[in-house]
Amino acid sequence: MLWAQIAAMSEHVMICEVGPRDGLQMAKSRMETGAKCDWIAALAKAGVKEIEVGSFVPAKLIPQMADTEAVVRFAKEIPGLVVVALAPNLRGAQAAVAAGAHRVSIPVSVSEGHSRANLNRAPDEQVAVVGQIVEWMESAGNPAEIEVACSTAFGCSIDGVVPEREVVRIAAALAETGVEQIGLADTVGYANPAQIKSVVRAVRREIGPALRGLHLHDTMGLGLANALAGLEVGIRDFDAALAGLGGCPFAPGASGNIVTEDLVFMLESMGFGTGIDLAALIAARRLLHEGLPAEPMHGQVAKAGIPRTYRQAA
């Protein structure tokens, strides 16, 4: 399909900002709670409608997430914002719901090595945990949504190649638990555009519309190319992080997420609507830098400046 034809559709693409969680968990220092909240508020003011604000994990493992409960309670008061929190188990999911998260994101690694390193469980054991969370949510009548991210769906820095059939198998097993939102994560950034298309198509054939979106990293410099490939096969939901922060402490070699600002520029320039004010988004980088002055900040649009030819999609 020609990109001109796609752009003419003026479709909406949802971007979930994951910087406050995925971005900060790898930071060398902790961002103060007040600064984090100011940053999240600025992102929401720029038009970001979904923000993954933190994770309910032991502070001794990821100290940058120790204030997640307070951050969730702040963010849920922002009008129109969908507040997402990551939880690796039932206890974490219960804490996320109690704090007021609108959506709970649960990681399930496809590769054995990453699953053991990240969760101390085999992939199928974590699928069973997801089933427990779904059952608890339903029995308790909780309004929060559940989404699952299939981590290392495109390769693993511990196990190497991850067979496509295994990605499909795990996704199908998750759909069987009753989860209605399943994403594919290039946790270590090893994917290429052809692989993105192949895996997305294979998973969609198996689970249909339960396939929600893509979480991409830019380790090999192919992050935006992979997003473009996802667009071409119908993905309309992406995770990204302001200034390209991020990585996984349990995946050696993983670097930052795709840059939110660059993704917005690409999508809007192509005619897709994101609802995000690019200038305001770039301005939010200042708060991020003030909160974490030692962290490197990436992004070509912020470096070059918004060109005069740029027009936000209607």
Side-chain angles (χ1 to χ4, degrees), residues 145-234:
E145 300 176 351
I146 302 174
E147 67 176 8
V148 176
C150 292
S151 305
T152 61
F154 301 94
C156 176
S157 56
I158 299 172
D159 292 354
V161 174
V162 175
E164 185 175 287
R165 64 180 179 277
E166 188 64 8
V167 183
V168 173
R169 186 186 73 82
I170 291 294
L174 288 166
E176 285 293 319
T177 69
V179 172
E180 296 180 349
Q181 299 184 53
I182 299 171
L184 301 175
D186 185 19
T187 310
V188 294
Y190 287 177
N192 63 71
Q195 184 186 16
I196 291 286
K197 293 180 182 180
S198 179
V199 175
V200 166
R201 285 168 174 155
V203 171
R204 185 180 285 129
R205 281 194 297 268
E206 188 68 27
I207 69 172
L211 176 58
R212 178 175 182 266
L214 290 173
H215 176 102
L216 302 170
H217 286 246
D218 200 37
T219 309
M220 308 308 293
L222 292 176
L224 281 185
N226 289 334
L228 199 60
L231 281 169
E232 194 169 40
V233 289

Side-chain angles (χ1 to χ4, degrees), residues 51-73:
I51 303 178
E52 191 172 77
V53 301
S55 58
F56 285 89
V57 295
K60 64 180 180 180
L61 296 179
I62 306 181
Q64 295 89 341
M65 297 292 106
D67 60 355
T68 294
E69 180 181 351
V71 174
V72 169
R73 293 189 182 281

Side-chain angles (χ1 to χ4, degrees), residues 21-205:
R21 195 280 300 176
D22 195 341
L24 299 188
Q25 71 179 6
M26 288 291 286
K28 298 178 180 63
S29 59
R30 285 182 58 183
M31 192 176 200
E32 293 296 329
T33 304
K36 194 183 295 187
C37 290
D38 288 345
W39 175 37
I40 289 169
L43 290 168
K45 188 175 181 180
V48 179
K49 296 300 184 185
E50 295 183 1
I51 303 178
E52 191 172 77
V53 301
S55 58
F56 285 89
V57 295
K60 64 180 180 180
L61 296 179
I62 306 181
Q64 295 89 341
M65 297 292 106
D67 60 355
T68 294
E69 180 181 351
V71 174
V72 169
R73 293 189 182 281
F74 166 82
K76 72 176 184 179
E77 300 301 325
I78 299 176
L81 179 65
V82 175
V83 179
V84 186
L86 182 143
N89 50 37
L90 177 58
R91 183 177 180 179
Q94 291 170 333
V97 171
H102 302 124
R103 182 183 302 145
V104 181
S105 179
I106 310 164
V108 176
S109 300
V110 178
S111 64
E112 180 83 17
H114 184 262
S115 188
R116 294 287 183 186
N118 190 35
L119 300 168
N120 198 29
R121 284 187 287 272
D124 288 309
E125 292 174 329
Q126 182 65 0
V127 171
V129 169
V130 172
Q132 294 172 0
I133 295 172
V134 171
E135 183 178 348
W136 173 75
M137 286 279 201
E138 292 177 346
S139 64
N142 289 308
E145 300 176 351
I146 302 174
E147 67 176 8
V148 176
C150 292
S151 305
T152 61
F154 301 94
C156 176
S157 56
I158 299 172
D159 292 354
V161 174
V162 175
E164 185 175 287
R165 64 180 179 277
E166 188 64 8
V167 183
V168 173
R169 186 186 73 82
I170 291 294
L174 288 166
E176 285 293 319
T177 69
V179 172
E180 296 180 349
Q181 299 184 53
I182 299 171
L184 301 175
D186 185 19
T187 310
V188 294
Y190 287 177
N192 63 71
Q195 184 186 16
I196 291 286
K197 293 180 182 180
S198 179
V199 175
V200 166
R201 285 168 174 155
V203 171
R204 185 180 285 129
R205 281 194 297 268

